[in-house]
Amino acid sequence: MPDISIEIDGRAFSGSFNVSGRTISVSSGLGVKTAVLGEAPAEQRAELLLRELVRDRKADGSLQTLRD
């Protein structure tokens, strides 16, 4: 599974992704998120899903504030 990483508000987040047919799954310490791949390149879609995982964890309180 290829690795991906993103930075949000100066904080790094990483994970890996897997494509099976038209489905892409992103896995990280924050959880797993799966979606239809669509027209975007797999790495771009994976980064978006990782951003969604960060946002979801921040919203549910399981991730402390992104500000240092």
Side-chain angles (χ1 to χ4, degrees), residues 9-65:
D9 294 337
R11 190 166 170 189
F13 298 91
S14 62
S16 58
F17 69 96
N18 183 52
V19 177
S20 178
R22 298 301 298 162
T23 302
I24 184 168
S25 296
V26 170
S27 178
S28 80
L30 301 172
V32 176
K33 196 155 189 94
T34 301
V36 174
L37 183 56
E39 298 298 318
E43 187 169 313
Q44 183 180 6
R45 185 70 168 123
E47 288 174 358
L48 177 64
L49 290 173
L50 184 54
R51 286 182 186 283
E52 290 178 8
L53 274 171
V54 171
R55 183 196 66 219
D56 293 349
R57 295 305 158 256
K58 185 178 175 190
D60 72 13
S62 61
L63 180 69
Q64 293 194 357
T65 182

